[in-house]
Amino acid sequence: MTITIKDVADAAGVSTATVSRALRGLPNVDAGTRERIERIAADLDYVISPSASRLASGRTGSIAVITPHVARWYFATVLSGVESVLQSAGIDLLLMSVSSSDGQHRLPPAPRLRRRVDGALVIALSPEDPQLHDVLALGLPTSLIGLTMPGVPSVTIDDVLAGRMAAQHLINLGHERIGVITGASVGAPFTAPNDRYLGFEAAMSDAGLEIDPRLAHHGYFTMTGGEQAMTALLTQRHPPTAVFAMSDEMAFGALRAMRSHGLQPGEDISIVGIDGHDMSELLDLSTVAQPVVDLGRSAAEALLLQLKDPGTGTPHEEIRMPTRLIVRGSTRPRSA
Amino acid sequence: MTITIKDVADAAGVSTATVSRALRGLPNVDAGTRERIERIAADLDYVISPSASRLASGRTGSIAVITPHVARWYFATVLSGVESVLQSAGIDLLLMSVSSSDGQHRLPPAPRLRRRVDGALVIALSPEDPQLHDVLALGLPTSLIGLTMPGVPSVTIDDVLAGRMAAQHLINLGHERIGVITGASVGAPFTAPNDRYLGFEAAMSDAGLEIDPRLAHHGYFTMTGGEQAMTALLTQRHPPTAVFAMSDEMAFGALRAMRSHGLQPGEDISIVGIDGHDMSELLDLSTVAQPVVDLGRSAAEALLLQLKDPGTGTPHEEIRMPTRLIVRGSTRPRSA
DNA sequence: TTGTATGCGTTATCAT
DNA sequence: ATGATAACGCATACAA
C-alpha cells in the first residue's frame, strides 16, 4: 500500500542503506547513483516515514514553542518569527500554550516534551514559573525569548535601556511629574517589568527627579489593566503630566482612560509605551519599539545552531536586540 | 540509558503487551495489575516513545494547522482556540504557515503533511489556492475554518448574514449613500469577501437603495489597505455618509483616514466593521462580532471526532457559528 | 486477563 | 561506494 524505502531500493537495484544515504544527501554516494535514486523516489512519490526515521535516528526533527499566550500580539508575533525560521530549516514546530499562572486548566508542558522534541523555545514566562524550571530540568537544548536566566541562552531586548529610553524621552520633553504603569511582579529578578522599571528609575534619578510612589500602578500587561491603572493616576490630587506604560497594550488602555476623562493624549498628558505594536501607529502612540519578529527569528536560529553542533559554539549566549524610540503625537513638550 | 516499556514490564513482572495495554487505558486489564504497572511506570519515570508508538500503530497523534498568517489577529485567535482543544486531547499541534499568494518564499504545505499528521485544519485560505487543493488531495481528515468548499467539513460564520447585518445597521440609521471597503477577490465563490458583499447587496436591495460602484474599494483585509480605500472614498465628489468595512482591521485603517481628513467617526461618517477585534472596543468601532476563538475550537473538536470514528458521523458537516452586532460610537443616525 | 511473536520503516554499524 | 543486518521501542493479532 504505502511505499517504503525498500520499494525504492528494489526499483533502483540498490540496498535500502544506499537509498537512505542518497536521499539524505550523505557523502560517499556515487553521483549517478544518487541521481537515479532521487528520480525513482520522485517517480514513486516516496516520502520518508518520520516515525521510523525518528525511531532509528533518535532525533525528532521538531522543536516545541512554549508560550503563555498564543493570540496576544507580542507572543503571536514572536511565534511568526520562529515559525519562518523553522519552516526554512524543515523542522516541525510544536505549539504548546501554558497556563501563565492565571490561565486555564492546562497540562504542564514538561512531560509533553519528553522524547518528542529536540529542543524548546520558551516565550516570556516568569523566571520564577515552576513550569519553566521543569522544562529546563529536561536538559534539552532550550532558548528563552523575552526573559533571561543565568546560564540559559536567551534572546531579549535590553529592558533596562528600553525603560530608560522611554523615561528619558518624557524627561527631555520637560516633564517632571511622571507616572508609570508597570506590568506586574516588579521585584522578581531577570524580568522585563523589573528591568524596565530599573531603567525608568535610573533615568529619573539621573535627571534629579523624584518618583512619586503614588504615581506607579500595575497594569498587568493588559489593555484593561492599563486602563484601570491610568484611571487611578488620573484621579490623583496631583496627576502626572506624563506617563510611561511598560507595554503598548497597557498604553492603549491608558489612552482609553484618558478619553473617558475627556483628556487629549499629548495635549493634556503625554504617554509613551514599549513594544512597537501594530496598532500604536494608528493610535498615534509614541513607543520604544522592539524587533519582536526578529526576537523569534534569532532565538530559533540560535537553537538550530545549538542542535547542529552540540559541543561547539558559546555554551550559553545572551543575545540583545536593539530598540528604537518612535515619537508620535502622544508625547509632547510639557505645556508651560 | 533511556528506560523502555521492557524495563517497566520486567519490574512489574508482566509482558510488554500488558504494560502497553495498561498504560493506554485499554480494557481487559486487571485493575490491580494496571494500578501496579502505573505506579511502577511513574516510579521509573517512564514515558512512551512517540516515535516507536507511531511507527507501530500508524497514528501520529498530531494534527497540522495551516494558516496564511500566524501573527494577525484573526488567525492567531483562531489558533488559540484550536490549541486549547488539541492540548486537552493530548494531540500535538504542528503549526505551518503558507504563502497566502502574496507572502514569503515558503515550502508548500502538502508534502510536509504526508505521513506526519493524522489530520489538518486549514484557516482562511482562498478556495482557489492550489496549496489548499494539494492539501485536500492528500485525503486526510481535514476541516476548514473561515472558508467553505463543497464536500469538505468547515466551520465558519454566515458571511452573507454578517454582511447583511452590517449593512442593515447602517440602513436602519437612515443612511442611504453607503460605501463599502471590500477584502479582495470578490467574485470568487465560497469566500468570505464575496459572501459579505452578497449580504451587503441584499440588504441594500431590500431597502430599495442603489449601490454606487464608485463607493466600493478594495482594502485587502489590511489596515493600510483600509486606509487607502477610505481615502479614495473621502475624495469622491459625493462621499458616502456611512461605510461598511468587511473587517475590523480595514475599518481601523478607515478611521485613521478619517482622522487625517479631520473627520469624526460617527459624527461625520458612520463606520461598521466585521470581526469583533480586540481593539474595536478601544477605538469605539461598531462591528459584527464573530466568535473567532470558538471557530477554532469547534473545528478542532469536529476534526477530533472525525479522527475517532472514521466512519460514523455526518460525512462532511458545515458548522455555522453565530454573529452579533455590537453598536458603538462609530455608527450614528444620519444627520438631518 | 495475560503472554508470544511479528511487523512498523528507518538508521547506522560493520563489512566488503 | 555499496550491501547486509542489527537495532530502535512499541502495538497488535493470535494464542493461551
Side-chain angles (χ1 to χ4, degrees):
Chain A
M1 191 57 220
T2 77
I3 129 161
T4 76
I5 198 175
K6 180 129 198 349
D7 299 317
V8 178
D10 291 348
V14 297
S15 71
T16 62
T18 300
V19 174
S20 180
R21 285 187 288 248
L23 259 28
R24 284 185 297 156
L26 294 187
N28 296 330
V29 176
D30 180 84
T33 306
R34 185 192 305 275
E35 192 181 354
R36 181 161 43 92
I37 290 177
E38 285 173 340
R39 186 170 40 71
I40 291 179
D43 287 350
L44 266 44
D45 199 27
Y46 166 71
V47 299
I48 283 188
S49 161
S51 318
S53 175
R54 289 168 186 184
L55 179 58
S57 71
R59 300 174 229 102
T60 67
S62 53
I63 81 105
V65 175
I66 300 169
T67 177
H69 307 282
V70 359
R72 284 177 54 178
W73 179 82
Y74 175 85
F75 303 89
T77 305
V78 166
L79 183 60
S80 72
V82 170
E83 192 278 336
S84 71
V85 170
L86 293 187
Q87 168 139 199
S88 304
I91 301 291
D92 286 348
L93 163 26
L94 263 59
L95 179 61
M96 307 194 178
S97 181
V98 300
S99 64
S100 81
S101 72
D102 59 287
Q104 315 280 15
H105 178 60
R106 287 183 169 284
L107 307 174
R112 302 203 55 196
L113 294 181
R114 301 186 54 183
R115 301 189 143 213
R116 45 183 63 221
V117 296
D118 296 335
L121 250 23
V122 180
I123 307 180
L125 286 186
S126 163
E128 297 169 331
D129 194 321
Q131 299 188 325
L132 172 57
H133 290 91
D134 290 347
V135 169
L136 293 175
L138 258 32
L140 32 81
T142 302
S143 281
L144 311 178
I145 304 174
L147 81 153
T148 60
M149 289 195 64
V152 183
S154 61
V155 179
T156 60
I157 59 171
D158 184 333
D159 285 294
V160 176
L161 178 58
R164 181 188 277 277
M165 287 170 71
Q168 192 62 52
H169 173 54
L170 298 176
I171 293 168
N172 290 346
L173 290 173
H175 294 281
E176 298 178 345
R177 188 162 177 74
I178 301 178
V180 56
I181 300 178
T182 62
S185 70
V186 167
F190 313 117
T191 67
N194 189 62
D195 285 352
R196 291 175 190 179
Y197 191 80
L198 291 178
F200 170 73
E201 268 186 336
M204 292 291 278
S205 170
D206 287 357
L209 297 176
E210 298 280 317
I211 297 180
D212 185 337
R214 289 165 303 186
L215 294 188
H217 284 268
H218 284 332
Y220 305 99
F221 282 119
T222 68
M223 243 181 59
T224 59
E227 183 176 8
Q228 292 167 354
M230 189 64 180
T231 300
L233 290 175
L234 292 178
T235 53
Q236 302 268 330
R237 22 237 171 285
H238 294 293
T241 67
V243 171
F244 161 41
M246 285 188 178
S247 81
D248 280 0
E249 288 188 75
M250 293 193 294
F252 296 159
L255 294 178
R256 182 184 168 81
M258 286 190 66
R259 194 178 57 191
S260 303
H261 287 250
L263 298 174
Q264 289 294 323
E267 197 62 37
D268 299 306
I269 296 181
S270 285
I271 295 194
V272 62
I274 290 184
D275 269 347
H277 191 292
D278 289 346
M279 289 288 154
S280 62
E281 184 182 2
L282 174 65
L283 293 169
D284 206 27
L285 174 73
S286 295
T287 186
V288 177
Q290 56 173 322
V292 184
V293 174
D294 289 336
L295 256 53
R297 268 196 223 286
S298 297
E301 285 164 354
L303 188 57
L304 252 31
L305 282 180
Q306 201 178 151
L307 257 43
K308 191 155 296 181
D309 23 63
T312 322
T314 38
H316 57 90
E317 196 175 5
E318 303 203 344
I319 301 176
R320 294 299 174 94
M321 306 290 285
T323 54
R324 72 181 205 284
L325 175 69
I326 301 177
V327 179
R328 299 206 181 91
S330 71
T331 50
R332 312 242 186 101
R334 177 185 170 198
S335 42
Chain B
M1 192 58 220
T2 77
I3 126 161
T4 76
I5 198 176
K6 179 129 198 350
D7 298 317
V8 177
D10 291 350
V14 298
S15 73
T16 62
T18 300
V19 173
S20 179
R21 287 186 285 247
L23 259 29
R24 284 185 298 152
L26 294 187
N28 297 330
V29 175
D30 181 83
T33 307
R34 187 193 302 276
E35 192 182 354
R36 182 161 42 92
I37 291 177
E38 285 173 341
R39 187 170 40 71
I40 291 179
D43 286 351
L44 266 44
D45 200 26
Y46 167 71
V47 299
I48 286 186
S49 160
S51 317
S53 174
R54 289 168 185 184
L55 179 57
S57 73
R59 299 173 230 103
T60 68
S62 52
I63 80 105
V65 175
I66 300 169
T67 176
H69 307 282
V70 358
R72 284 178 56 179
W73 179 82
Y74 175 85
F75 303 88
T77 304
V78 166
L79 182 60
S80 73
V82 170
E83 193 277 336
S84 72
V85 169
L86 293 187
Q87 168 138 200
S88 304
I91 301 291
D92 286 348
L93 162 26
L94 262 60
L95 179 62
M96 308 194 176
S97 183
V98 301
S99 65
S100 80
S101 72
D102 58 288
Q104 315 279 15
H105 177 60
R106 289 183 168 284
L107 307 174
R112 303 203 53 196
L113 294 182
R114 300 186 56 183
R115 298 189 145 212
R116 44 183 64 222
V117 296
D118 296 333
L121 249 23
V122 180
I123 306 179
L125 285 186
S126 162
E128 296 170 331
D129 193 322
Q131 298 188 326
L132 172 57
H133 290 91
D134 290 346
V135 169
L136 293 175
L138 258 31
L140 32 80
T142 302
S143 280
L144 310 178
I145 304 174
L147 81 153
T148 60
M149 288 195 64
V152 182
S154 60
V155 179
T156 60
I157 58 171
D158 184 334
D159 285 295
V160 177
L161 177 58
R164 181 187 277 276
M165 286 170 70
Q168 192 61 52
H169 172 53
L170 298 176
I171 293 169
N172 290 345
L173 290 173
H175 293 282
E176 299 180 343
R177 188 162 176 75
I178 300 177
V180 56
I181 301 178
T182 63
S185 69
V186 167
F190 313 117
T191 67
N194 189 61
D195 286 353
R196 291 175 190 180
Y197 191 80
L198 290 178
F200 170 73
E201 268 186 336
M204 293 290 278
S205 171
D206 288 357
L209 296 176
E210 296 280 318
I211 297 180
D212 185 338
R214 290 165 301 185
L215 294 189
H217 283 269
H218 285 330
Y220 305 99
F221 281 119
T222 67
M223 242 180 59
T224 59
E227 183 175 7
Q228 293 167 354
M230 188 65 180
T231 301
L233 290 175
L234 292 178
T235 52
Q236 302 268 331
R237 21 230 171 292
H238 294 293
T241 67
V243 172
F244 161 41
M246 285 189 178
S247 80
D248 281 0
E249 287 187 75
M250 292 193 295
F252 297 159
L255 294 178
R256 182 184 168 81
M258 286 189 66
R259 195 179 57 192
S260 302
H261 287 250
L263 299 173
Q264 288 294 323
E267 198 61 38
D268 299 307
I269 295 182
S270 285
I271 295 194
V272 62
I274 289 185
D275 269 348
H277 191 292
D278 289 347
M279 289 288 155
S280 63
E281 184 183 0
L282 174 65
L283 293 169
D284 207 26
L285 175 72
S286 295
T287 186
V288 176
Q290 56 173 324
V292 185
V293 173
D294 289 336
L295 256 54
R297 270 195 222 287
S298 298
E301 285 164 354
L303 187 58
L304 252 31
L305 282 179
Q306 200 177 154
L307 258 42
K308 192 156 297 180
D309 24 63
T312 322
T314 38
H316 57 89
E317 196 176 6
E318 304 204 342
I319 301 176
R320 295 299 173 96
M321 306 290 286
T323 54
R324 72 181 207 284
L325 175 68
I326 300 177
V327 179
R328 299 206 180 90
S330 71
T331 50
R332 310 240 187 103
R334 178 188 173 197
S335 40

